[in-house]
Amino acid sequence: MYEHDQAPTDISYDDVHRAAIADGSVPPEIVGGLDMNTVGTVIGGGLGRAEHPGPGWKRLRWADLAQRSGDPVVPEGLLPCYRCFPSVPVNGSWPISIAPPTEGSMDRETWNHLIGLLRAHSPGGADTRCLAYYSPLMLGATDFENLHVRAGRLGDAEILYDNPEVDFSPSNLWAEDHSWIICTDYDLWATKVAGPASLIDVLLKDSEIEAVRLPWAP
């Protein structure tokens, strides 16, 4: 997440959206006679790749938001998703001072840093052979019978974030020898990493990547 210390904390994304509808800057979206722009609220994060929002925005750690709000980082029994931080939304939507997590994709900073850690903890280093998979669910595809993976060197994995055919980081990336795998579910705000104890220990202690163990999600 990112936070802007100059943005108002009592105005939500939904407030801004409704105001835009009211002044006519957002055209109506009529479905079955109902203007879809007048119903629902923006609660969770956006979809697709996430970049640093720009000047004035600073990284907001989940642990810091949890301490401020009184909510747990991840409620017991849940996975990181739109149901986290129930005390934070304003009028049912996130305040515009916070850029919430994306769903189904890592942000670029986390992706690049994680790739670096994987290189450092893979026997083959940058030359480690790995495979990447993009979920058709994130592509709006209906063909689940002809799935494809990409193969290459771990040292080149950062370029997968800029794949022109998709707008999100790979759903799965794994070493060809099955020593580790990462999984980003299209509905979640976090990425699961499975691998040797040494890698997991480094992730949990890393100052850039915010990692937690969830005993209910082995």
Side-chain angles (χ1 to χ4, degrees):
M1 287 179 278
Y2 297 92
E3 183 173 39
H4 199 296
D5 58 8
Q6 299 299 315
T9 59
D10 58 348
I11 298 176
S12 71
Y13 286 97
D14 190 60
D15 292 333
V16 173
H17 184 65
R18 290 178 183 275
I21 295 172
D23 68 19
S25 58
V26 173
E29 182 182 353
I30 308 300
V31 178
L34 178 66
D35 183 357
M36 299 304 293
N37 282 323
T38 64
V39 299
T41 56
V42 179
I43 297 177
L47 296 174
R49 292 176 294 207
E51 306 282 355
H52 189 287
W57 291 89
K58 296 182 179 180
R59 196 86 182 207
L60 175 61
R61 296 179 67 83
W62 286 45
D64 293 336
L65 185 58
Q67 184 176 27
R68 181 193 309 173
S69 66
D71 295 325
V73 171
V74 181
E76 185 172 356
L78 295 182
L79 297 175
C81 66
Y82 73 95
R83 296 173 66 186
C84 294
F85 302 109
S87 300
V88 175
V90 176
N91 299 327
S93 178
W94 281 72
I96 61 172
S97 59
I98 296 177
T102 56
E103 292 178 351
S105 179
M106 289 191 214
D107 61 279
R108 183 184 294 274
E109 292 176 77
T110 300
W111 172 259
N112 289 345
H113 193 71
L114 178 58
I115 295 303
L117 293 178
L118 291 172
R119 286 200 302 262
H121 291 83
S122 296
D127 290 326
T128 298
R129 299 295 298 174
C130 60
L131 299 100
Y133 170 73
Y134 294 91
S135 171
L137 291 171
M138 290 289 285
L139 296 170
T142 57
D143 183 5
F144 292 89
E145 300 299 324
N146 299 293
L147 305 180
H148 303 278
V149 296
R150 297 168 184 262
R153 296 170 61 253
L154 180 58
D156 299 324
E158 287 186 8
I159 64 175
L160 293 171
Y161 203 87
D162 292 311
N163 183 347
E165 299 176 12
V166 297
D167 192 32
F168 57 99
S169 62
S171 305
N172 299 98
L173 181 74
W174 67 97
E176 194 172 60
D177 64 3
H178 295 180
S179 57
W180 52 260
I181 183 172
I182 65 176
C183 175
T184 307
D185 188 282
Y186 68 96
D187 268 340
L188 300 182
W189 286 356
T191 291
K192 185 174 183 177
V193 181
S198 58
L199 171 61
I200 303 305
D201 187 57
V202 165
L203 288 174
L204 292 171
K205 295 178 180 178
D206 190 81
S207 61
E208 295 295 325
I209 288 183
E210 193 167 15
V212 295
R213 285 187 184 274
L214 300 180
W216 52 86

